[in-house]
Amino acid sequence: MDYNKIKITENQAINIALENYNIQGTAKPLPGEIDFNFKIDATDGAEYILKVSRPDENADYLDFQQKLLLYANDQAKDLTVPKVIRDRQGNLISEIKDEYGNIRKVRLLSWISGRVWSTVNPQLDNLRHSLGEHCGRLTYALQGFDHPEAHRKFVWDIAEGAWTTDYLHLFSGEQKEIVSYFQDQFKQARSGYSQLRKAVVHNDANDNNVIVSQDLISPKVVSAIDFGDSVYTHIINDLAVACAYAIMGHNDPLEAAIPIVRGYHRSFPLEENELEHLYMAIAMRLVISVTKSAINKKEEPDNTYLLISEKPAWELLRKWKDVNADFAHYSFREACGYSVHPKEEKFEAWAKKHSFSLDKLFPTICSNMIHPLDLSVSSKWLGHEMDFNDLDFFQYKLNKLQREHPTRILAGGYLEPRPIYTTSSYDKIGNTGRESRSIHLGVDFWLPADTPVHALFDGEVVTAVNDKGDKEYGGLVILKHQEEGSEFYTLYGHLSVASATKYEVGTKIKAGDVIGVLGNWPENGNWAPHLHFQIMLSMLHYKIDFPGVAYQSQLAVWKSLCPDPNLLFKTKGLVERQATSNSDIIGYRKQHLGKSLSLQYKVPIKMVRGAGQYLMDQYGRKYLDTVNNVAHVGHEHPAVVKAGQEQMALINTNSRYLHENINALAKELLETLPPELSVLHFVNSGSEANELAIRMVKAATGEKDIIASEVGYHGNTNMCIDISSYKFDGKGGRGAPEHTHIFPLPDAFRGKYRGENTGEKYALEVKKQIDNVQAQGRGVGAFIIEPIISCGGQIELPEGFLAKSYQYVREAGGLCISDEVQVGCGRMGSSFWGFQLHGVVPDIVTIGKPLGNGHPLAAVACTQEVAEKFANGMEYFNTFGGNPVSCAIGAEVLRVVKREKLQKHALEVGNYLKKELMALALNFPIIGDVRGQGLFLGIELVNAKMQPLAAQTDYLANRMKDHGILMSTDGPDHNVLKIKPPMVFSQENAKELVFYLKKIMAEDFMQL
């Protein structure tokens, strides 16, 4: 009989605790590789972990663990470490006989409360940083401890990882290639690796041995438990183990490792030579893990605990192999505050002693002066995407600028975040959504095609190729230099292919030699002739290419690997531009702007550019916009921008002068409206539109009383605030004015009347307000409502409600206003206007935000009868309402909606998205309701008792922002996520939105 496989039962564990430790309680089995582990819940409320060994366990090995725990508790009293509980006789280790007479060793430790790391979601940078901190503090606490068993041969010791080569035959194909690759690295590193510091370390901070606090917003590591793998080994191995498990499941494992390294170094300073081997050590821990799994599949196929990390370990090994070892090393150095490249300071010292003029690089130009060219994300000179993608126009602008500065070289670009890299080859899916390489690592010099480029100093050709394998980007030459013991590289991009490929690799180049000549279209793709010049301290793994742009998240590393070319040229204007920081902008706002102006998100974003359904911050990061319905046909739609620019260049004046544009806009708008609404007035905003509508009501009916919905919002002017319950019933409000009458929010999900067939009931609430007005001897002026109530939480009006309410209002002599400021212009998908969803025709329609696509433009459409009564002799004049520029923009917006079939698009994408959101609700019960039409949707979060979950809604919106998706909350209880993106929002965007909603919905804070 194999006595090692005989399990200890729960009842046996209860008896062991009672007989050996005088503890009464219950026992719950826990996973373990060697011991049988049980959580003991004592009747007095105390908690313990009972560890029962397998027969014939080494007593010295267990003594080692107990002594280590005693030492750690003594040395670091502020560090949470399991405490050793002595048995009745005061022993650290007890002995029992099992039913077969086998001696088993028993230990009892204090229980550490919290959550196991593997159950924590999300595992963000702050948590990983605290993991590194805790592990570093534990290593510090164990300094000076030793024990004979600490020096045992141990298969889980990375330093002993060479044993895995004996089992390489267990793998095949890609797996064998990966394991062999890292085994070779380990072998090659032995000489330097063997010299690293050693100590007794925990060596097993895996995802089931790390305890995290119960805090769901800002969790921290409480303790590392299970010291069974502690061993005397290289200190860096302890950090490698912590990284290996904590970075599993991340798209970018290197990025995930950095906070752990930074936290460890903060608690226990790491030496530079240790960081050189960390990448390899992480890989070897994973190699040991998958090798043990392969062995265990044969030896213990039923022990699932032994196999638990196999799949994520393989996934991580594949990703880790794609990480350049040198780049990882430099990233670790940066995380620990060392110079990124070991020879960075030496290069800078050399560069400071020398100066190289630009006329050495371009002798035929004979100029050492530059004119800085701004190609940054926020560059006004760069202009619209349609401008910088127009080759002829871009060249025209360059030529014009060059004529203005004939004695200067147009140049710039170091660390400049640029919007021009738009293909998918510049993108990746990182740990927080999509990232784009946007930070320019060199300097561009814009000069005529065929301009010769000369070497600044002696060098050796290491790359001389057509850098992309075709003629799209031109040729590339990279030279290696040795100057006074400083080794570095210079890169010359966008040369002509012929000149770039004339040199063989290894060719020696002398200072002043011609490297190549600048290429011309089409060799330079979308750009006019120019030289991309870049300095590198390392070639990393690149042979025939090298990145010219980098991710913002890796800027600190790339900035050091690719130093500022101005270190060589020392030319004013080439230096990195320093933009105003977000904190400075916020500080100025707080001091000089109105205190009631709010900012979106806990950490506000500075947006500098828009394109379609995306917004872009100052670093070039794209955010998928699900909120800004103002940009109706897409941010900075080319046709709309062009329409405004062309008209602005001619004239912009008021509607008292004749101009075709106002008629053209009116014609486009009237084609979308029912024939009853045949008169238009143009204004500048939705607020002005609703203000004018109320004026029309008073003129047409002679009445002042307005009936509106609870939580309705209709604008920010005095009259609009007076009819907006969202404002006067909210913070700072003073309740409804005398002539405003509010009926309950017609919310069939969580309102006064719930479920189906509530339309008539809510219509009767409108009737009550009519009766109230008439009881005071007054008449009803108007009834105003949005067809989907936006600030109320994207509330769809119950079936039959609007038609019945219109009937009641008109019977009382009032007018019906449809506020289409947010929902109009095709957004509903199945109809162009929201009121059309309900089969009614209002007397007045107010139109706002979407019509101008961000430009201040709005309109009021009304019947002939209303218009005639409003024209009572008092002139209505709005200086900018209906001006030629606004009208040109508005007409083009409507044409784009029709030309690009955006109404149909809204219907198809909206239906798809709504269906997917409803499917999501099946998995996440806190999604109480999904509602809306077209691309105007709402998601309401509630608990099982239908109580609003404002905190979770806010958390979700902010976490989505972290992943590059902009969302916002609404509703009277702030528990509704609103979705009203630009109309070009695609089905792929919808899939991305749902993917990240699902991801974040699964996080701990979202669970009830």
Side-chain angles (χ1 to χ4, degrees):
M1 179 180 290
D2 187 349
Y3 292 108
N4 283 303
K5 293 185 178 181
I6 299 173
K7 295 183 178 180
I8 301 297
T9 66
E10 293 177 32
N11 286 336
Q12 289 173 318
I14 291 171
N15 291 333
I16 293 169
L18 180 61
E19 293 173 6
N20 291 269
Y21 298 95
N22 198 29
I23 294 174
Q24 290 184 329
T26 60
K28 177 183 177 182
L30 301 170
E33 181 181 3
I34 299 176
D35 297 325
F36 292 102
N37 300 319
F38 298 87
K39 184 188 178 194
I40 304 297
D41 290 307
T43 54
D44 63 1
E47 298 172 302
Y48 307 92
I49 180 169
L50 180 72
K51 303 176 77 68
V52 182
S53 74
R54 303 192 183 212
D56 303 321
E57 180 61 87
N58 182 350
D60 291 337
Y61 168 60
L62 300 181
D63 179 70
F64 161 55
Q65 294 182 56
Q66 300 297 80
K67 296 285 180 58
L68 185 150
L69 289 172
L70 290 174
Y71 187 89
N73 273 290
D74 182 64
Q75 293 297 312
K77 299 189 183 302
D78 62 336
L79 196 64
T80 302
V81 178
K83 291 180 170 55
V84 176
I85 310 299
R86 295 178 184 269
D87 67 11
R88 290 185 177 195
Q89 287 73 42
N91 299 317
L92 298 178
I93 303 172
S94 292
E95 288 189 355
I96 63 167
K97 279 187 179 181
D98 64 21
E99 57 187 306
Y100 298 97
N102 298 303
I103 300 297
R104 293 178 183 263
K105 307 293 193 300
V106 177
R107 293 170 291 153
L108 189 69
L109 307 176
S110 63
W111 178 263
I112 307 296
S113 295
R115 299 175 289 157
V116 176
W117 177 280
S118 60
T119 67
V120 176
N121 182 18
Q123 297 164 1
L124 303 181
D125 286 355
N126 287 342
L127 178 60
R128 290 195 294 276
H129 187 278
S130 76
L131 171 64
E133 272 194 309
H134 183 89
C135 292
R137 289 172 65 199
L138 185 55
T139 297
Y140 184 83
L142 293 178
Q143 294 294 289
F145 175 77
D146 206 356
H147 190 283
E149 282 297 312
H151 299 267
R152 70 196 185 282
K153 291 287 184 181
F154 186 44
V155 295
W156 287 102
D157 180 4
I158 293 171
E160 302 293 335
W163 69 264
T164 61
T165 57
D166 295 336
Y167 295 90
L168 188 58
H169 65 276
L170 295 178
F171 307 105
S172 62
E174 182 197 24
Q175 291 186 347
K176 186 172 185 177
E177 180 186 341
I178 292 172
V179 169
S180 177
Y181 174 81
F182 287 119
Q183 287 172 339
D184 289 344
Q185 275 200 352
F186 181 67
K187 183 178 179 180
Q188 294 167 13
R190 290 296 290 182
S191 176
Y193 176 67
S194 64
Q195 304 301 313
L196 303 182
R197 293 182 296 173
K198 293 183 178 181
V200 176
V201 295
H202 181 273
N203 193 49
D204 197 21
N206 69 50
D207 48 2
N208 286 308
N209 283 347
V210 174
I211 306 301
V212 178
S213 67
Q214 298 289 2
D215 188 338
L216 302 183
I217 297 293
S218 302
K220 294 186 179 300
V221 169
V222 174
S223 180
I225 59 173
D226 193 346
F227 285 68
D229 283 6
S230 296
V231 69
Y232 182 83
T233 188
H234 303 92
I235 289 172
I236 198 64
N237 294 345
D238 187 57
L239 173 57
V241 171
C243 288
Y245 292 97
I247 65 178
M248 288 180 179
H250 292 277
N251 290 329
D252 187 336
L254 177 60
E255 181 184 319
I258 297 304
I260 307 171
V261 176
R262 187 173 284 120
Y264 200 99
H265 181 74
R266 179 177 178 180
S267 298
F268 187 88
L270 297 161
E271 296 179 352
E272 292 182 70
N273 60 345
E274 291 173 319
L275 297 174
E276 188 175 349
H277 298 277
L278 179 56
Y279 171 84
M280 176 274 298
I282 292 171
M284 279 308 296
R285 176 64 179 209
L286 295 166
V287 167
I288 291 171
S289 179
V290 297
T291 304
K292 282 286 289 179
S293 293
I295 295 170
N296 291 334
K297 281 180 182 179
K298 294 186 175 182
E299 295 183 353
E300 295 188 60
D302 296 330
N303 192 334
T304 56
Y305 176 76
L306 299 176
L307 308 177
I308 195 169
S309 295
E310 183 182 20
K311 183 179 179 181
W314 276 118
E315 290 175 352
L316 177 54
L317 273 170
R318 291 185 184 95
K319 293 175 183 176
W320 202 241
K321 187 174 181 290
D322 290 337
V323 173
N324 178 261
D326 286 341
F327 190 81
H329 173 212
Y330 301 145
S331 299
F332 297 147
R333 289 178 61 89
E334 191 279 329
C336 295
Y338 295 116
S339 59
V340 170
H341 193 282
K343 297 181 180 179
E344 178 182 355
E345 293 175 359
K346 192 170 186 178
F347 169 77
E348 290 181 352
W350 172 81
K352 285 180 181 178
K353 294 189 302 182
H354 299 84
S355 181
F356 301 89
S357 62
L358 289 177
D359 56 12
K360 299 293 184 184
L361 191 62
F362 308 111
T364 61
I365 301 302
C366 300
S367 175
N368 195 39
M369 296 187 296
I370 68 157
H371 177 78
L373 191 62
D374 183 5
L375 302 179
S376 69
V377 183
S378 54
S379 168
K380 294 182 176 63
W381 185 89
L382 186 61
H384 194 277
E385 185 175 338
M386 64 179 176
D387 295 336
F388 61 72
N389 281 332
D390 184 327
L391 308 184
D392 293 325
F393 185 65
F394 187 77
Q395 182 67 67
Y396 164 78
K397 289 171 68 175
L398 282 173
N399 293 343
K400 182 174 182 292
L401 194 61
Q402 188 70 77
R403 287 195 298 272
E404 294 170 1
H405 305 279
T407 62
R408 296 176 179 268
I409 298 174
L410 304 181
Y414 181 64
L415 297 190
E416 189 172 57
R418 292 180 171 179
I420 60 180
Y421 310 111
T422 55
T423 66
S424 59
S425 62
Y426 291 94
D427 292 346
K428 71 171 182 177
I429 303 298
N431 297 336
T432 54
R434 190 178 306 278
E435 297 179 48
S436 299
R437 288 191 293 133
S438 61
I439 308 299
H440 194 245
L441 296 175
V443 171
D444 290 329
F445 297 103
W446 305 87
L447 294 163
D450 298 324
T451 298
V453 180
H454 294 247
L456 291 174
F457 19 72
D458 296 350
E460 176 188 342
V461 176
V462 296
T463 296
V465 296
N466 174 9
D467 66 348
K468 300 296 179 182
D470 54 35
K471 293 186 176 182
E472 184 179 355
Y473 293 99
L476 171 74
V477 171
I478 299 176
L479 303 181
K480 179 180 179 180
H481 308 283
Q482 299 281 352
E483 294 289 341
E484 300 177 15
S486 180
E487 181 179 285
F488 62 98
Y489 304 81
T490 53
L491 179 152
Y492 308 82
H494 301 294
L495 303 174
S496 74
V497 173
S499 67
T501 55
K502 72 179 181 181
Y503 290 111
E504 296 289 335
V505 171
T507 302
K508 303 296 183 181
I509 298 290
K510 290 292 185 182
D513 285 354
V514 175
I515 301 166
V517 299
L518 297 188
N520 202 348
W521 299 330
E523 290 185 328
N524 280 328
N526 291 348
W527 293 98
H530 69 287
L531 174 71
H532 174 93
F533 179 81
Q534 187 170 326
I535 306 171
M536 299 95 73
L537 300 184
S538 169
M539 281 293 290
L540 300 175
H541 63 287
Y542 294 96
K543 301 294 184 184
I544 60 170
D545 193 8
F546 198 88
V549 282
Y551 297 106
Q552 167 66 25
S553 60
Q554 298 174 342
L555 177 58
V557 177
W558 283 109
K559 181 177 180 179
S560 295
L561 287 182
C562 300
D564 185 351
N566 203 48
L567 289 171
L568 300 180
F569 300 119
K570 301 175 178 62
T571 301
K572 186 178 180 181
L574 275 182
V575 295
E576 175 189 353
R577 294 187 184 89
Q578 299 296 325
T580 306
S581 70
N582 286 8
S583 58
D584 287 343
I585 294 173
I586 292 170
Y588 192 89
R589 281 176 64 112
K590 288 181 177 179
Q591 186 176 359
H592 296 291
L593 299 184
K595 300 297 184 289
S596 59
L597 287 174
S598 63
L599 286 166
Q600 184 77 302
Y601 304 113
K602 288 182 171 61
V603 179
I605 317 171
K606 178 183 178 182
M607 295 302 188
V608 298
R609 184 176 285 270
Q613 59 273 54
Y614 294 97
L615 288 171
M616 199 177 292
D617 68 13
Q618 71 267 44
Y619 306 113
R621 183 177 187 184
K622 293 177 183 176
Y623 291 83
L624 179 60
D625 185 1
T626 75
V627 185
N628 289 290
N629 60 324
V630 177
H632 190 60
V633 297
H635 291 284
E636 324 323 318
H637 190 287
V640 176
V641 171
K642 183 179 180 181
Q645 288 177 338
E646 288 179 344
Q647 183 56 51
M648 180 69 79
L650 296 177
I651 190 172
N652 194 30
T653 184
N654 59 59
S655 57
R656 282 182 169 149
Y657 298 98
L658 292 176
H659 202 282
E660 296 91 341
N661 285 3
I662 193 168
N663 287 1
L665 173 57
K667 182 177 183 294
E668 293 287 347
L669 198 52
L670 289 172
E671 285 179 0
T672 70
L673 291 163
E676 294 91 334
L677 297 167
S678 57
V679 181
L680 301 173
H681 293 74
F682 292 110
V683 292
N684 301 307
S685 69
S687 295
E688 273 196 348
N690 281 324
E691 179 90 7
L692 177 57
I694 301 303
R695 277 186 59 186
M696 289 178 167
V697 167
K698 292 178 179 179
T701 67
E703 304 291 352
K704 300 178 180 179
D705 290 82
I706 307 296
I707 298 172
S709 169
E710 180 185 19
V711 205
Y713 175 66
H714 302 286
N716 59 24
T717 63
N718 282 339
M719 196 177 296
C720 291
I721 292 295
D722 280 352
I723 60 171
S724 296
S725 165
Y726 178 74
K727 289 296 185 182
F728 61 63
D729 284 331
K731 189 180 294 186
R734 297 183 179 181
E738 178 185 355
H739 293 280
T740 298
H741 308 274
I742 300 299
F743 64 94
L745 182 67
D747 178 8
F749 175 64
R750 219 164 51 85
K752 183 175 180 179
Y753 308 112
R754 302 181 181 184
E756 297 181 0
N757 303 317
T758 58
E760 177 67 32
K761 295 176 182 178
Y762 280 114
L764 287 173
E765 293 291 340
V766 175
K767 181 68 166 60
K768 285 181 185 178
Q769 297 305 318
I770 295 171
D771 294 342
N772 179 45
V773 172
Q774 292 175 337
Q776 298 177 56
R778 304 200 296 261
V780 174
F783 166 67
I784 183 170
I785 196 168
E786 296 174 278
I788 295 180
I789 301 174
S790 55
C791 291
Q794 318 298 87
I795 300 296
E796 286 192 86
L797 303 181
E799 186 177 351
F801 163 77
L802 200 58
K804 199 65 177 177
S805 297
Y806 273 26
Q807 177 187 331
Y808 290 146
V809 170
R810 284 171 170 157
E811 287 173 353
L815 299 179
C816 297
I817 305 173
S818 186
D819 183 338
E820 302 276 344
V821 169
Q822 297 217 45
V823 302
C825 295
R827 180 167 292 276
M828 296 295 93
S830 58
S831 64
F832 200 86
W833 302 104
F835 65 81
Q836 292 169 328
L837 294 171
H838 302 276
V840 297
V841 177
D843 302 290
I844 301 173
V845 172
T846 55
I847 306 159
K849 308 173 191 293
L851 192 56
N853 210 58
H855 184 83
L857 172 64
V860 177
C862 65
T863 63
Q864 286 286 349
E865 181 182 359
V866 170
E868 288 173 6
K869 290 181 178 178
F870 180 60
N872 58 6
M874 179 187 292
E875 180 192 18
Y876 174 77
F877 178 68
N878 185 315
T879 302
F880 294 108
N883 70 77
V885 171
S886 297
C887 290
I889 290 171
E892 189 58 34
V893 168
L894 293 174
R895 291 180 189 125
V896 168
V897 171
K898 297 172 186 176
R899 187 167 62 242
E900 299 184 9
K901 298 180 174 58
L902 293 182
Q903 181 181 336
K904 180 183 178 184
H905 180 79
L907 176 64
E908 293 172 349
V909 175
N911 285 346
Y912 170 82
L913 178 54
K914 190 173 182 180
K915 180 182 176 181
E916 291 297 307
L917 293 173
M918 292 173 77
L920 193 65
L922 297 177
N923 296 319
F924 298 100
I926 66 170
I927 301 179
D929 194 27
V930 176
R931 54 180 176 254
Q933 294 289 323
L935 288 176
F936 198 84
L937 304 175
I939 309 169
E940 183 162 6
L941 303 188
V942 295
N943 63 17
K945 296 181 179 180
M946 296 287 281
Q947 295 169 326
L949 298 175
Q952 282 77 4
T953 310
D954 181 67
Y955 175 89
L956 186 55
N958 279 278
R959 288 286 292 130
M960 290 292 282
K961 185 265 289 185
D962 294 341
H963 287 77
I965 298 177
L966 303 179
M967 301 196 79
S968 187
T969 63
D970 225 327
D973 296 311
H974 312 290
N975 68 320
V976 179
L977 280 168
K978 55 187 176 184
I979 301 173
K980 46 177 187 174
M983 295 269 280
V984 291
F985 188 87
S986 70
Q987 187 165 310
E988 286 302 310
N989 299 144
K991 289 178 181 177
E992 183 179 357
L993 172 62
V994 172
F995 175 85
Y996 285 107
L997 282 172
K998 182 177 181 180
K999 175 183 173 71
I1000 296 167
M1001 283 280 187
E1003 294 182 355
D1004 296 338
F1005 187 74
M1006 300 299 294
Q1007 311 310 305
L1008 299 182

